[in-house]
């Protein structure tokens, strides 16, 4: 039996209801005030004052007595008491606390114990978006048997919303306990006792709780348990005997108790196929519903769909963030909200007033999660923010330490972050990890704004660049494993290069030179070349010349190689500079590679090309034995030289030899690239049937492959398209246009545009052809690419044919209009679906 003293203490701490319909509930033990069931934002002194006054209603309490009890041991001005009374009256009404002039204050509201009130039901069921499968899975786990089911997910992902929906549909009794406002494990017992309507003694909960619940069929929900997880784990253990009790816990991490079943809740998904059906469910549906709730004038038009989709994507489908973004739309507009997401924590501050305090802003929600971490986990979380696009375990360890002994400590810390839903672990084996972009933005903020750690950001950024440097130094064209590892980290190396550009020119130059070859057969081709070009002015000045010769040589050689793809006339001089620097660095193998790049960089036949070929041959003769890879490089360079000289037989021989060497090395992408070049040679030879058949077979092979082979698609499809046009198979060629155009858009290589324009002219669509030529010219200029001889010949033919049909002046006007054509209009014209307005 509890002692009289403990009974009195329990009575003193018992919750009290007052106000209209008992809308205010004072919970002294939990040190909080609920208004309509939700925690109120109330300062500690104001809460102390309310507890003292409400404990003895109708009793006049002097100012001196109140000052002594609310500010014990402190000397404070009487004005402080007046301020706290004023704060209370603003919240609970002016007629609850009466002032007796010159004497003190009296609590005059009618007070009754919460324990005498009927049980408060669980919150009503909310509407679910994209959660039906999660709901069915959770209900099935609860129906399967007694025990604990923990719904785990990051802050703001919608755990409470899903739990409410399940509780509202539960066939038996439901008891809901919100733990968000509690600060200590000892407060949980009192909260649970009130919810159940059963007195519990702190010292005997393990025995009392199973007996109190014996024979009851109920669903007990402990909401927001992550900060009291140890206490909730004890409760789960105590509740295990009653066979009819189901315990549902929402938390950012599992309880880790025997028999626990965990369901992890992911952010809301975006539809994989954009269209109007996106609005039926998931992230888009939630965002639009919340926008309409805030502004009935809003309509999800076709024009708004891309912006809505982008907002959902940038906010990771996180429901709390989407709701806050929706609240800003009436003021800023949809595009304004989208553009302001770069400052997401300043933007997303309009949470519901009835939400828990930690969900009033997105920053508060994440800060709550962050502060539950230990110091080591906080440090790791901050550091992981520098990774872009995810990371591997090895990269995370390399970022944090060089000490092998610390590896397992870091693995354990990463496990904590995964358990707490701050880091997402992929399903592949070995897993790849990532931070949602919202989490990453918060981690970077903590990394940048820590006055106690002024050097932490710079140190972490430098280590990140270092692990990228170590990884990309492993890249070899014929090492498929290293190549795949590097390709997966292109977003990371971009982040490292952007940092190094401002901090360490040598590191930026080395990273850019190592990353560009990795992007060669991928969608990164154009951007990785841009990383090199961004350093050109500095590398050509005193700062660049002060770098080690090997760093300069690698940068100049790769700058020349990527430039040769665009037919940049500066590439030949850059390649010669790289060659001289490799010689100065004493590296003849790299010098041989630079000589190959020099040959590729000369854009026309003549003495310069002859000189470059002679230098390459001299290097070959001086090398005792060429490796297979070196033979492939030399053969490819000489094939380019033969192309410039228009020696078709030599080109074909070199390309076929290139295919054989690449196959021996297992380089699928190089084989496909050489095959596409064979198609162009056959076209030049007039063997169009053979070229088309080879092109079709090559497309089928690429479709059946994966990875870097896809990077050849623009050129492969250009070759097949050209062959079909030469064969006058115009219908087959037209059917290929949408795919060829999309491949060029994906890989930033507008190589099919001239052929597509010529196809339009051949089909009598002269205005469309002229517009597409203008679009092609603008696209080549934007990519800093030069047209080859074949493209320039097509331009002349199109001008002659279309100019004759339209008039030269009208043709030129259409070409100028085409320069301003947007991507959607251009693809419509190319596909034969677009009308030419005002032609």
């Amino acid at each position: 039996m509890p002692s009289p003293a403990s009974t009195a203490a329990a009575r003193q701490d018992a919750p009290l209801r007052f106000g209209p319909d008992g809308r205010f509930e004072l919970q002294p033990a939990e040190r909080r005030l609920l208004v309509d069931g939700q925690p109120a934002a109330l300062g500690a002194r104001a809460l102390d004052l309310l507890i003292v006054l409400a404990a003895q209603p109708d009793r006049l309490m002097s100012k001196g007595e109140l000052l002594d009890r609310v500010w014990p041991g402190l000397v404070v001005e009487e004005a402080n008491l007046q301020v706290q009374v004023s704060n209370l009256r603003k919240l609970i009404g002016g007629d609850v606390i009466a002032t007796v002039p010159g004497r003190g204050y009296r609590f005059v509201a009618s007070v009754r114990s919460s324990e005498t009130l009927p049980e408060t039901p669980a919150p009503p069921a909310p509407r679910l978006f994209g959660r039906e499968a999660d709901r069915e899975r959770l209900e099935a786990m609860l129906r399967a048997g007694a025990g604990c089911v923990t719904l785990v997910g990051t802050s703001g992902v919608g755990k409470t919303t899903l739990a409410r929906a399940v509780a509202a549909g539960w066939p038996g009794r439901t008891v809901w306990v919100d733990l968000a406002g509690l600060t200590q494990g000892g407060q949980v017992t009192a909260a649970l006792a009130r919810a159940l309507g059963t007195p519990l003694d702190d010292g005997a909960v393990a025995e009392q709780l199973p007996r109190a619940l014996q024979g009851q069929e109920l669903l007990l929900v402990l909401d927001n348990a992550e900060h009291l997880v140890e206490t909730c784990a004890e409760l789960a253990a105590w509740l295990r005997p009653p066979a009819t009790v189901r315990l549902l816990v929402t938390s950012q991490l599992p309880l880790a108790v025997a028999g626990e079943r965990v369901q992890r809740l992911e952010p809301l998904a975006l539809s994989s196929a954009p269209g109007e059906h996106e609005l039926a469910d998931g992230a888009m549906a939630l965002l639009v519903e919340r926008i309409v709730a805030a502004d009935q004038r809003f309509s999800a038009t076709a024009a708004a769909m891309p912006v809505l989709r982008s907002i959902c994507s940038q906010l990771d489908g996180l429901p709390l963030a989407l709701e806050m973004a929706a609240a800003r739309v009436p003021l800023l507009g949809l595009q304004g909200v989208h553009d302001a997401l770069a400052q997401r924590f300043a933007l997303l501050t309009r949470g519901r007033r009835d939400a828990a305090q930690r969900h009033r802003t997105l920053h508060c929600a994440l800060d709550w999660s962050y502060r539950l971490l230990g110091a080591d986990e906080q440090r790791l979380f901050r550091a992981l923010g520098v990774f872009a696009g995810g990371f591997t375990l090895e990269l995370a360890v390399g970022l944090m330490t060089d000490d092998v002994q610390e590896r397992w400590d870091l693995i354990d810390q990463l496990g904590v972050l995964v358990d707490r839903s701050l880091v997402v672990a992929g399903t592949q084996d070995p897993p790849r990890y990532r931070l949602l972009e919202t989490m990453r933005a918060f981690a970077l903020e903590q990394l940048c704004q820590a006055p106690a750690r002024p050097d932490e950001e710079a140190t972490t950024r430098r280590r990140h660049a270092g692990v990228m440097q170590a990884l990309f130094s492993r890249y070899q064209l014929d090492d498929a494993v290293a190549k795949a590892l590097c390709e997966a980290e292109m977003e990371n190396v971009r982040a490292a290069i952007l940092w190094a550009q401002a901090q360490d020119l040598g590191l930026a130059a080395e990273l850019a030179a190592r990353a560009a070859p990795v992007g060669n057969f991928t969608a990164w081709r154009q951007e990785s070349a841009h990383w090199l070009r961004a350093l050109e002015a500095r590398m050509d000045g005193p700062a660049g010349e002060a770098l080690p010769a090997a760093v300069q040589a690698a940068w100049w050689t790769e700058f020349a190689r990527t430039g040769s793809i665009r037919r940049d006339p500066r590439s030949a001089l850059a390649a010669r500079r790289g060659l001289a620097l490799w010689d100065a660095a004493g590296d003849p193998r790299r010098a041989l590679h630079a000589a190959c790049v020099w040959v590729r960089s000369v854009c026309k036949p003549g003495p310069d090309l002859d000189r470059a070929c002679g230098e390459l041959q001299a290097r070959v003769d001086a090398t005792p034995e060429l490796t297979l890879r070196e033979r492939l490089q030399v053969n490819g360079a000489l094939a380019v030289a033969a192309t410039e000289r228009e020696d078709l037989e030599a080109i074909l021989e070199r390309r076929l030899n290139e295919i054989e060497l690449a196959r021996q090395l297992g380089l699928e992408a190089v084989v496909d690239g050489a095959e596409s070049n064979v198609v162009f040679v056959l076209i030049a030879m007039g063997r169009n049937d053979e070229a088309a058949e080879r092109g079709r077979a090559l497309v089928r092979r690429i479709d059946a492959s994966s990875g870097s082979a896809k990077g050849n698609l623009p050129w492969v499809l250009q070759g097949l398209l050209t062959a079909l046009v030469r064969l006058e198979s115009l219908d087959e060629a037209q059917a290929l246009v949408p795919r060829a155009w999309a491949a060029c858009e994906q890989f930033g290589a507008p190589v099919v545009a001239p052929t597509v324009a010529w196809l339009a002219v051949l089909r009598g669509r002269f205005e469309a052809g002229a517009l597409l030529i203008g679009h092609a010219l603008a696209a080549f200029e934007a990519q800093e690419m030069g047209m080859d001889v074949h493209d320039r010949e097509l331009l002349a033919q199109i001008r002659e044919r279309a100019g004759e049909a339209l008039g030269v002046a009208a043709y030129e006007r259409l070409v100028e209009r085409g320069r301003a054509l947007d991507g959607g209009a251009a693809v419509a014209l190319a596909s034969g679906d677009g009308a030419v307005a005002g032609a």
Side-chain angles (χ1 to χ4, degrees), residues 494-558:
R494 171 173 60 190
I497 290 170
L498 291 177
W499 174 82
Q501 283 175 357
Q503 304 295 330
D504 188 329
L505 176 60
L507 183 56
E510 185 174 355
L511 282 170
R514 292 189 182 280
V518 178
N520 192 38
F521 291 107
T522 73
W524 291 91
R525 184 198 304 263
Q526 298 298 328
E527 186 173 351
S528 59
H530 176 74
W531 299 335
L532 291 158
R533 298 199 298 275
L535 301 175
E536 181 180 5
R538 295 165 68 196
M539 291 299 294
D540 199 22
E545 292 169 358
L547 297 175
V551 174
Q552 293 185 64
W555 185 88
W556 283 105
T557 303
E558 196 54 30

Side-chain angles (χ1 to χ4, degrees), residues 236-473:
W238 296 335
L239 283 170
R240 197 174 304 133
T244 55
V245 176
R246 270 69 167 177
L247 175 62
L248 173 59
V249 180
T250 73
S251 174
Q252 292 178 19
L253 75 165
L255 301 187
V257 296
E260 178 187 27
R261 288 162 294 171
V262 176
Q263 179 173 336
R264 192 168 291 277
L265 198 60
E266 302 294 339
L268 293 175
L270 272 169
S271 172
S272 58
E276 289 187 7
H277 66 277
E278 287 182 286
L279 299 179
D281 209 357
M284 289 270 280
L286 172 63
L287 178 61
V288 170
E289 195 271 348
R290 295 295 189 264
I291 295 174
V292 172
D295 186 353
Q296 291 291 330
R297 300 168 298 173
F298 179 80
S299 176
T301 62
M305 295 293 282
V307 184
L308 289 166
R309 186 176 180 85
S310 180
I311 291 173
C312 291
S313 178
Q314 290 189 60
L315 293 178
D316 307 300
L318 199 64
L320 178 63
L322 294 174
E323 292 188 358
M324 291 180 178
R328 288 291 194 179
V329 170
L331 177 64
L332 301 178
L334 189 65
Q335 189 66 49
V337 168
H338 176 275
D339 296 342
L341 285 178
Q343 292 84 41
R344 66 183 65 199
F345 295 125
L347 173 73
L348 305 179
T349 57
R350 295 288 298 275
R352 301 191 314 274
R353 289 190 177 92
D354 61 350
Q357 185 66 32
R358 61 189 175 90
H359 281 172
R360 298 289 176 86
T361 73
L362 183 62
H363 194 276
C364 286
L366 299 183
D367 189 63
W368 163 270
S369 302
Y370 177 70
R371 295 190 183 283
L372 293 176
L373 300 173
D376 290 337
E377 286 81 14
Q378 287 183 347
R379 174 174 169 265
L380 176 59
F381 177 70
R382 293 192 300 268
L384 294 178
V386 301
F387 284 116
F391 55 93
T392 64
L393 177 61
E394 296 307 319
L395 290 177
V397 172
L399 177 71
M400 300 304 295
T401 184
D402 296 319
D403 187 347
V404 177
Q405 301 301 319
E406 295 180 7
R407 174 184 174 85
W408 286 107
D409 291 337
L410 283 163
I411 291 174
D412 290 341
Q413 292 162 23
L414 180 60
V416 170
L417 297 181
V418 171
D419 283 345
R420 287 189 173 271
S421 306
L422 292 170
V423 172
V424 178
T427 57
Q428 64 269 56
D429 188 17
R432 184 171 177 82
Y433 304 89
R434 67 184 179 94
L435 276 69
L436 299 178
E437 281 305 305
T438 299
M439 306 301 172
R440 182 169 179 251
F442 183 81
L444 288 174
E445 178 194 79
Q446 298 303 308
L447 185 67
C448 299
Q449 298 180 358
R453 307 177 295 271
D455 300 326
E456 185 174 345
E457 182 190 8
T459 301
T460 305
R461 292 283 189 185
R462 184 168 292 281
R463 288 194 67 93
H464 176 252
V467 296
M468 289 300 108
Q469 181 185 35
L471 174 63
F472 278 74
S473 67

Side-chain angles (χ1 to χ4, degrees), residues 652-819:
L652 185 57
E653 179 184 355
R654 289 290 180 186
R655 292 305 183 189
L656 293 174
N657 192 34
E658 185 177 13
I659 291 171
E660 181 59 31
L661 289 169
R663 280 180 177 152
Q664 291 182 52
L665 286 166
L667 302 176
E668 180 184 359
V670 177
V671 170
D672 291 339
E675 284 275 14
S676 70
N677 283 319
V678 168
V679 171
F680 284 107
V681 178
L682 293 173
I683 292 170
M685 290 177 159
R687 296 157 61 177
N688 294 308
D689 283 318
E690 193 177 342
E693 189 56 38
R694 197 154 192 151
R696 293 186 189 102
L698 182 53
V699 170
R700 289 193 296 269
R701 187 162 69 249
I702 289 179
D703 285 344
S705 65
S706 61
S708 59
K710 303 292 187 185
N712 285 305
L713 262 179
W715 289 269
V716 170
L717 293 170
Q718 180 197 13
L720 177 56
L721 194 62
T722 302
L724 293 172
V725 170
R726 293 285 183 89
L727 290 169
E728 298 185 1
S729 300
L730 301 188
D731 290 342
E732 184 181 353
Q734 187 63 55
L736 191 65
V737 166
R739 183 179 184 190
W741 197 278
C744 290
E745 290 286 322
Q746 180 183 0
F747 293 98
V751 292
V752 303
T755 305
V756 171
W758 177 235
L759 175 61
V761 168
L762 291 177
R763 295 171 68 88
R765 301 176 63 237
F766 301 108
E767 296 93 344
L771 289 167
L772 288 169
I773 282 298
H775 181 77
L777 291 170
F780 273 86
E781 290 167 7
Q783 297 292 348
E784 299 181 22
M785 292 179 65
M787 291 187 176
D788 61 21
V789 175
H790 171 71
D791 290 333
R792 291 194 294 271
E793 289 176 352
L794 273 184
L795 258 62
Q797 289 178 291
I798 293 169
R799 189 178 191 278
E800 179 181 356
R801 183 81 65 90
E804 182 180 344
L806 302 171
V808 174
Y811 170 79
E812 296 294 350
R813 285 195 300 271
L814 285 167
V815 169
E816 285 305 308
R817 278 179 53 193
R819 285 179 172 273

Side-chain angles (χ1 to χ4, degrees), residues 1-237:
M1 290 289 293
S3 67
S6 67
T7 302
R11 190 176 300 118
Q12 186 177 4
D13 285 342
L16 302 174
R17 287 284 188 118
F18 61 92
D21 300 320
R23 65 187 300 254
F24 300 105
E25 180 177 353
L26 179 62
Q27 298 176 346
E30 288 79 14
R31 292 194 51 75
R32 68 175 179 177
L33 175 68
L34 301 183
V35 181
D36 296 325
Q38 296 298 320
L42 193 61
R45 295 297 184 188
L47 182 60
D48 288 339
L49 178 60
L50 180 61
I51 291 172
V52 169
L53 286 168
Q56 302 182 63
D58 294 324
R59 174 175 175 262
L60 174 65
M61 305 190 76
S62 70
K63 295 178 182 180
E65 182 182 1
L66 290 172
L67 288 171
D68 288 342
R69 296 184 63 178
V70 177
W71 288 271
L74 299 177
V75 178
V76 296
E77 297 291 333
E78 189 177 299
N80 288 317
L81 178 61
Q82 297 170 357
V83 168
Q84 300 306 329
V85 170
S86 176
N87 289 339
L88 284 172
R89 284 171 170 163
K90 289 176 184 178
L91 181 64
I92 62 178
D95 57 349
V96 174
I97 301 174
T99 301
V100 180
R103 301 281 302 279
Y105 297 94
R106 178 185 287 118
F107 191 86
V108 295
S110 175
V111 175
R112 53 182 173 163
S113 171
S114 290
E115 295 177 355
T116 65
L117 296 176
E119 180 182 318
T120 302
R127 179 184 172 187
L128 291 179
F129 294 88
R131 294 293 190 207
E132 280 309 312
D134 293 313
R135 176 177 182 164
E136 291 173 4
R137 190 179 306 114
L138 184 56
E139 289 176 340
M141 292 173 71
L142 289 168
R143 286 194 303 267
C148 172
V149 177
T150 306
L151 187 59
V152 173
T154 190
S155 183
V157 79
K159 301 182 295 296
T160 297
T161 300
L162 179 57
R164 284 179 177 177
V166 170
W170 193 252
R173 181 190 178 199
T174 301
V175 175
W176 187 280
V177 183
D178 184 2
L179 306 178
L182 308 188
T183 58
Q184 300 174 10
Q187 298 169 337
V188 174
T189 301
L192 182 60
R194 285 195 309 276
L196 292 169
T198 301
L200 297 171
D201 181 19
D202 276 334
V205 177
E207 294 80 21
Q208 293 176 357
L209 188 57
R211 287 200 299 270
L213 298 177
Q214 192 68 42
Q216 293 196 43
E217 292 194 13
L218 65 83
L219 173 65
L220 174 59
V221 184
L222 301 181
D223 191 29
N224 301 303
E226 54 273 353
H227 60 306
L228 301 171
V229 69
E230 292 184 3
T231 301
C232 292
E234 291 179 353
L235 280 174

